[in-house]
Amino acid sequence: MSGREAFQPQRAAEIIAAGAHREGPLLPILHALQEAFGRVPEAAIPMVAEALNLSRAEVHGVVSFYHDFRREPAGRHVLKLCRAEACQSRGGEARAAEAQIALGVGWGATSADGAVTLQPVYCLGLCAVAPAAMIDDQPVGRLDRSRLASLLDAARGDA
Amino acid sequence: MTDVRLFVPRDAGALAVGADEVAAALRAGLAKRGIAGEIVRTGSRGLYWLEPMVEVATAAGRIAYGPTTPADVEALLDAGLLSGAAHPLRLGRPEDMPFLKRQTRLTFARCGIIDPLSLADYGASGGWRGLERAVAMTGLDVVETVVRSGLRGRGGAGFPTGVKWRTALQAPGARKFIVCNADEGDSGTFADRMLMEGDPFVLIEGMAIAAIAVGASKGFVYIRSEYPHAIETMRQAIDVARRAGYLGAGIAGSPHAFDLELRVGAGAYVCGEETALLDSIEGRRGQVRAKPPLPAHHGLFGQPTVINNVLSLAAVPFILAEGAAAYADFGVGKSRGTMPIQLAGNVRHGGLFETAFGVTLGELVDDIGGGTASGRPVRAVQVGGPLGAYFPRALFDTPFDYEAFAARDGLVGHGGIVVFDDTVDMARQARFAMEFCAVESCGKCTPCRIGSTRGTEVIDRIIRGEGDRAAHLALIADLCETLKFGSLCALGGFTPYPVMSAIRHFPEDFAAVPARAVGAGTP
Ligand SMILES: Cc1cc2nc3c(=O)[nH]c(=O)nc-3n(C[C@H](O)[C@H](O)[C@H](O)COP(=O)(O)O)c2cc1C
Ligand code: SF4
Ligand code: FES
């Protein structure tokens, strides 16, 4: 799972400086910030804006445009469930309903125990082993009911 | 026993069904028997219903076993897996298996066979020959070779690749760029992912050839964030290629300088659209730009830019190495060469099938795909991703060819075919298409942003049996006309394909009392 460091301006400044020399540096920097802090911290936005000579509104606009960037940290694990057509054809919607019931949350939310954030995705490129999911960066295919249940159990078991 | 060599895929699709666990069990089984052996982690051959598929090198060639689980490994080793002995999971030589034997693998020739990050493997299997030819040619000669091959863009629009390159070659600019579109957002497609994980050097070689052709000094590979394994493999491959002198100053011993940088997307389907993708690299919201200007004139950072799909670029090394005619000899009409077709969803033999254009949809689905995985009748297939049309069995005689699909109000797109059995509810599929458009719209055009949400609501009313069905259907047809003509890009412009094809070919699912089957195509 990506980092859950507490926000530290010094650390954020290092990350921004390390990426600022690239051509088109904004997305790589936002990815790196999220990698370190588990989210794009609000306090980092003016720092990024200043370093890249952009307005805060521009940086905000980019952060909010992309589905990947979080403003709040995710749970200890992120379960991405594929909602797209190939997975639909193999019962993906049933898995989605089961996951929502088991976690007690809807799309984009984190279970009350902080263990799992449930995220919808539209295709993981695992369409020939559908239905598919990704837990943290681990791909999972042929996701039947019991496989999903054991994934969720394992994710919630490791505090 | 010496020289034991086993092959286990590290492709994400194989990992998703336990390839790492099988590799670990094999390693433990070898250790227990005191056998020193090498387990090479390859890409996937693309026979996903047989993954994890293990291969062993024998005197008679490689012998495959699959689908394997860690629990099978002890019995496989006891039965004599290492010498290719009989076992219920033994599949024989992969190249003799009908699914592979019937293919023409030009772009995917090495995928699943070699160690993806081994320069020695790549060179020994014909790698870099295209680039070596290209560095001895003028840029214009490289461009004209690609033009003559008839290669068309594999990302969806099917625009002739060589013609695009010619425009970029002729465009004046202080710097030029090659951008690889590895956003692969279309559901039901995974060929870009497989190739980047299984044979990354062929993509690097294709991009280097493109750079020589148009005079570009820098390239970007833009990979979607949903592909962590492809990202990692490409990252390593770029490093290896740079250290070996295939990237950087003086590529392959020539005076050309060309380097590559990898960029990761951030979860936006529309960033697969070329102008939105360029904006995204530049660090902006991924919004579609009006064309002209074309990226070939005014692209990344305002400079002439070639942007091509992974498969378009990866087809180029073969064309340079073997000649334009060797590629153009395959195919039909204006669809030349081969297409890596992806069989996905509820299909028995799901996987990658690279073949010359011209094969029919029916052959692909029934014959090669073996019908549904659920064993129920095939009812519908969606071709070309979420913006592609749904085809009923009645249209299974359509040949795989850009023009033939267009003539039937469909598209080849990136070559994905998603199969559905008779439990599919086409009203729900139409609703999903509208919803997808609403979720992923970049917001620039009103029909796409607002009309799609309205369309979702209207289809919901049809599904719930509320109000006047005929009026709802007329409204959907209207909305689709507006989308088609009032959208800047194919996200809004092509959403009518899945919606209207579902209504046209499966009207019974939109009836007042739809005869909806119960149960879903659940495994
Ligand atoms: C909404 C939308 C999404 C697209 N997604 C992709 C994609 O994921 N990959 C891709 O190669 N092309 C995609 N395209 C097509 C590109 O705009 C462009 O045509 C392509 O990158 C050109 O490369 P090619 O000529 O090699 O196909 C998309 C187009 C649209 C309108
Ligand atoms: S059709 Fe939709 S995605 Fe395409 S440019 Fe218009 S609003 Fe953006
Ligand atoms: S459609 Fe679900 S992984 Fe591709």
Side-chain angles (χ1 to χ4, degrees):
Chain A
M1 205 46 257
S2 61
R4 264 172 285 139
E5 293 172 40
F7 177 71
Q8 292 224 353
Q10 183 54 38
R11 178 95 173 89
E14 282 165 25
I15 291 169
I16 294 166
H21 68 282
R22 301 173 94 167
E23 290 185 277
L26 183 52
L27 256 66
I29 287 175
L30 294 176
H31 272 304
L33 288 168
Q34 178 151 307
E35 177 74 22
F37 302 115
R39 66 193 194 285
V40 178
E42 187 64 37
I45 286 178
M47 299 172 68
V48 173
E50 170 152 7
L52 303 186
N53 207 7
L54 298 167
S55 73
R56 290 180 191 199
E58 282 171 299
V59 179
H60 262 293
V62 170
V63 173
S64 62
F65 178 82
Y66 293 96
H67 299 301
D68 279 2
F69 296 128
R70 306 175 183 288
R71 312 304 298 277
E72 298 301 329
R76 290 194 302 280
H77 301 279
V78 175
L79 176 67
K80 295 180 179 169
L81 267 187
C82 177
R83 302 196 64 194
E85 291 90 340
C87 289
Q88 292 166 10
S89 79
R90 297 292 283 147
E93 287 299 284
R95 293 299 92 77
E98 289 156 20
Q100 297 192 355
I101 290 169
L103 295 171
V105 294
W107 294 118
T110 303
S111 56
D113 58 4
V116 182
T117 300
L118 181 64
Q119 206 170 295
V121 284
Y122 296 93
C123 196
L124 292 162
L126 304 171
C127 335
V129 290
M134 187 114 76
I135 179 115
D136 303 330
D137 272 348
Q138 287 297 324
V140 188
R142 298 178 196 144
L143 187 67
D144 58 19
R145 184 189 290 262
S146 72
R147 187 115 195 260
L148 174 66
S150 53
L151 271 185
L152 291 177
D153 282 349
R156 307 182 85 170
D158 68 343
Chain B
M1 201 183 299
T2 50
D3 280 326
V4 168
R5 288 191 93 199
L6 290 163
F7 303 86
V8 182
R10 46 184 260 171
D11 170 278
L15 297 179
V17 292
D20 271 348
E21 290 77 1
V22 169
L26 282 167
R27 209 168 290 118
L30 293 181
K32 191 173 115 183
R33 289 166 178 77
I35 299 170
E38 186 191 1
I39 299 178
V40 181
R41 303 303 300 267
T42 60
S44 172
R45 296 261 196 177
L47 288 67
Y48 281 101
W49 74 102
L50 297 173
E51 293 289 4
M53 188 167 101
V54 173
E55 296 176 35
V56 59
T58 74
R62 276 158 73 160
I63 303 295
Y65 296 80
T68 60
T69 66
D72 296 322
V73 166
E74 275 299 306
L76 280 164
L77 288 169
D78 286 343
L81 165 94
L82 299 183
S83 54
H87 183 278
L89 295 177
R90 185 181 189 276
L91 301 162
R93 301 195 323 156
E95 55 276 26
D96 296 336
M97 294 165 63
F99 190 87
L100 276 173
K101 201 170 185 165
R102 297 175 70 173
Q103 300 194 38
T104 302
R105 287 210 165 178
L106 308 183
T107 302
F108 280 79
R110 295 180 199 86
C111 190
I113 299 176
I114 63 166
D115 172 349
L117 291 170
S118 160
L119 276 178
D121 278 10
Y122 187 68
S125 51
W128 309 119
R129 279 185 28 235
L131 179 60
E132 280 154 16
R133 285 268 168 89
V135 296
M137 295 162 71
T138 66
L140 186 62
D141 284 344
V142 176
V143 165
E144 294 310 324
T145 303
V146 175
V147 170
R148 281 198 308 277
S149 75
L151 176 66
R152 291 168 68 175
R154 304 294 188 231
F159 188 82
T161 303
V163 174
K164 184 184 281 189
W165 290 15
R166 193 193 282 146
T167 310
L169 169 65
Q170 289 164 351
R175 293 171 77 197
K176 294 182 186 180
F177 293 99
I178 308 297
V179 174
C180 172
N181 188 340
D183 199 50
E184 197 161 62
D186 282 2
S187 48
T189 72
F190 46 84
D192 296 351
R193 179 188 61 67
M194 259 185 79
L195 192 89
M196 290 188 286
E197 291 173 1
D199 190 11
F201 293 131
V202 79
L203 175 57
I204 293 173
E205 185 178 352
M207 292 184 75
I209 293 170
I212 286 168
V214 308
S217 55
K218 171 122 189 221
F220 287 89
V221 184
Y222 185 96
I223 309 182
R224 65 202 298 251
S225 61
E226 291 85 347
Y227 283 1
H229 299 82
I231 291 167
E232 190 47 39
T233 304
M234 278 312 301
R235 209 186 282 290
Q236 291 181 31
I238 290 171
D239 283 346
V240 171
R242 190 182 292 123
R243 269 186 266 118
Y246 292 104
L247 290 173
I251 52 173
S254 77
H256 300 274
F258 179 64
D259 211 343
L260 270 184
E261 193 173 328
L262 191 147
R263 284 301 163 92
V264 179
Y269 177 75
V270 75
C271 284
E273 195 282 334
E274 55 191 13
T275 61
L277 189 150
L278 297 178
D279 270 10
S280 183
I281 294 179
E282 290 179 11
R284 283 200 286 275
R285 305 158 63 98
Q287 279 204 331
V288 177
R289 302 180 201 169
K291 283 179 272 191
L294 294 171
H297 287 130
H298 189 92
L300 192 61
F301 305 114
Q303 302 297 320
T305 300
V306 164
I307 173 163
N308 275 127
N309 175 253
V310 173
L311 302 181
S312 317
L313 290 162
V316 168
F318 175 91
I319 292 167
L320 266 289
E322 306 297 328
Y327 194 76
D329 276 351
F330 295 101
V332 290
K334 288 192 213 153
S335 303
R336 309 311 311 180
T338 58
M339 182 75 192
I341 293 166
Q342 299 125 84
L343 294 167
N346 195 343
V347 61
R348 198 146 79 97
H349 299 156
L352 184 107
F353 195 88
E354 181 176 352
T355 188
F357 284 96
V359 57
T360 68
L361 192 50
E363 283 173 81
L364 286 165
V365 173
D366 293 331
D367 224 11
I368 294 157
T372 62
S374 60
R376 303 181 67 102
V378 174
R379 179 152 184 251
V381 300
Q382 187 179 27
V383 186
L387 309 174
Y390 284 97
F391 283 78
R393 292 203 66 94
L395 297 180
F396 272 19
D397 61 338
T398 313
F400 217 84
D401 154 3
Y402 292 99
E403 280 68 38
F405 265 72
R408 290 187 159 172
D409 287 329
L411 46 121
V412 163
H414 186 49
I417 301 181
V418 177
V419 180
F420 293 83
D421 72 12
D422 62 348
T423 61
V424 68
D425 176 346
M426 295 307 295
R428 291 198 183 280
Q429 297 311 119
R431 181 197 187 280
F432 177 79
M434 282 287 190
E435 187 191 17
F436 183 77
C437 179
V439 170
E440 298 293 345
S441 171
C442 84
K444 208 162 189 167
C445 324
T446 315
C448 174
R449 190 179 71 240
I450 312 277
S452 54
T453 304
R454 180 94 180 89
T456 313
E457 291 161 6
V458 176
I459 300 178
D460 271 338
R461 302 196 64 192
I462 296 176
I463 291 173
R464 287 198 301 265
E466 289 171 16
D468 178 351
R469 196 183 67 87
H472 293 332
L473 286 173
L475 182 54
I476 293 289
D478 248 24
L479 275 171
C480 282
E481 280 299 293
T482 315
L483 275 170
K484 199 166 166 183
F485 298 105
S487 298
L488 195 54
C489 86
L491 180 49
F494 288 5
T495 292
Y497 280 122
V499 174
M500 293 312 295
S501 60
I503 295 175
R504 187 174 321 118
H505 302 307
F506 306 91
E508 60 276 22
D509 286 17
F510 298 80
V513 187
R516 288 204 181 95
V518 241
T522 318

